[in-house]
Amino acid sequence: MSRVAIVTGGTRGIGRAITEGLIAEGYQVAALYHGNEEAAQKCATETGAKVYKADVASFQACADAIAKIESEMGPIDVLVNNAGITKDGMLHKMPEDSWHAVIETNLTSCFNMCRAVIAGMRERKFGRIVNISSINGQKGQLGQCNYSAAKAGMLGFTRALAQESAAKGITVNAICPGYIATDMTSAMPQEVLDSIIRQIPAARMGKPQEIADMVVFLASDRAAFVNGATMTVNGGQYMAA
Ligand code: NDP
């Protein structure tokens, strides 16, 4: 029986590449999305993933989605918490709802999704959880107090859950992508992107596939001894110890 993986935000951008990467390795993939029906249907048709609409910021929506996926596809072996949003602005101008939306979609979503799968993984003594954080959770970023806080929070969450879960055959790791060419970054002004590329030793943005390859490794049996780790995939832009 092939393993079952869930990828949140799995129908577009980095998540879509993760969906494709896991399917290529023989996983059955459930890709969660929020509102972009066109991208979801395209993903389902082109990759063979099953797509499910659920707001990862909602505890109940996550619990309901996991229950539905388990009834249709079987127990969850792999969870990739990839869904995320930005609502940038300097703190002195940031509306309260931009703070809450970013924290809830990027960070609280990890609690919501992990809470719904972790008991089953513990019972079955196997699980792989991969949390997609960000370079800006490691170094901070002007205009992103909300996003940097959420992504840094994901790293602490990852390490704590890894300690709780390791003895049960479960690994929990984080990936910090650098700047990757997706809808999220194409929304940025070209002059900002050009100035960022000048700071990247590799002198280019990353490709979604380059994040997906790391997810596929962390999900595999070969990565059983990698736990609580933060994997940076950023072209050398930020070399954390
Ligand atoms: P995109 O904006 O291209 O795609 C975001 C995905 O998340 C979409 O599938 C979207 O669904 C889904 N999503 C958003 N909000 C919710 C929600 N409330 N519930 C369920 N799904 C939701 O993002 P990227 O592919 O660029 O980024 C993916 C992850 O990687 C994010 O966590 C991001 O923070 C992180 N990251 C990205 C970097 C980059 O340079 N691109 C750099 C570092 C980290 P829908 O299609 O329905 O809107």
Side-chain angles (χ1 to χ4, degrees):
M1 268 288 278
S2 57
R3 287 182 173 154
V4 175
I6 296 184
V7 183
T8 69
T11 55
R12 265 198 305 132
I14 293 171
R16 160 96 192 229
I18 295 169
T19 294
E20 288 173 13
L22 289 170
I23 286 174
E25 292 293 313
Y27 294 82
Q28 297 181 66
V29 175
L32 264 55
Y33 69 103
H34 190 212
N36 189 328
E37 300 289 347
E38 192 185 338
Q41 293 317 317
K42 194 164 183 280
C43 176
T45 306
E46 291 178 358
T47 70
K50 292 194 76 172
V51 297
Y52 295 86
K53 185 172 183 172
D55 179 1
V56 293
S58 159
F59 183 80
Q60 195 56 49
C62 290
D64 293 347
I66 300 282
K68 189 161 193 270
I69 292 164
E70 289 200 320
S71 75
E72 293 180 1
M73 300 176 71
I76 311 303
D77 301 294
V78 177
L79 167 63
V80 184
N81 286 309
N82 164 79
I85 58 166
T86 52
K87 284 188 183 292
D88 295 355
M90 301 288 275
L91 188 73
H92 61 279
K93 293 183 182 165
M94 185 177 285
E96 187 185 0
D97 62 352
S98 294
W99 171 265
H100 289 296
V102 168
I103 296 291
E104 282 158 26
T105 305
N106 292 277
L107 175 59
T108 308
S109 59
C110 291
F111 168 75
N112 294 340
M113 291 298 294
C114 289
R115 184 67 183 80
V117 301
I118 198 73
M121 287 181 175
R122 290 174 70 89
E123 272 167 32
R124 295 186 299 275
K125 296 192 170 42
F126 180 83
R128 295 281 187 267
I129 296 173
V130 182
N131 296 322
I132 307 299
S133 174
S134 169
I135 184 174
N136 292 344
Q138 295 175 293
K139 69 174 189 57
Q141 177 60 39
L142 177 154
Q144 291 194 325
C145 286
N146 50 3
Y147 185 80
S148 297
K151 294 302 193 183
M154 289 173 78
L155 301 180
F157 178 89
T158 296
R159 294 178 194 130
L161 187 58
Q163 289 177 45
E164 291 185 10
S165 311
K168 299 286 185 185
I170 301 164
T171 68
V172 189
N173 292 292
I175 299 175
C176 287
Y179 285 81
I180 309 296
T182 67
D183 293 345
M184 184 179 274
T185 43
S186 68
M188 295 163 71
Q190 190 56 47
E191 64 270 21
V192 175
L193 284 176
D194 288 344
S195 79
I196 289 168
I197 290 168
R198 284 195 291 276
Q199 297 162 32
I200 303 173
R204 66 169 175 86
M205 291 176 68
K207 301 173 195 153
Q209 174 76 48
E210 291 172 314
I211 306 304
D213 287 344
M214 182 63 85
V215 172
V216 165
F217 170 67
L218 290 173
S220 73
D221 289 332
R222 285 169 295 153
F225 206 53
V226 182
N227 214 341
T230 298
M231 318 298 273
T232 62
V233 184
N234 64 21
Q237 187 183 356
Y238 181 72
M239 301 183 187

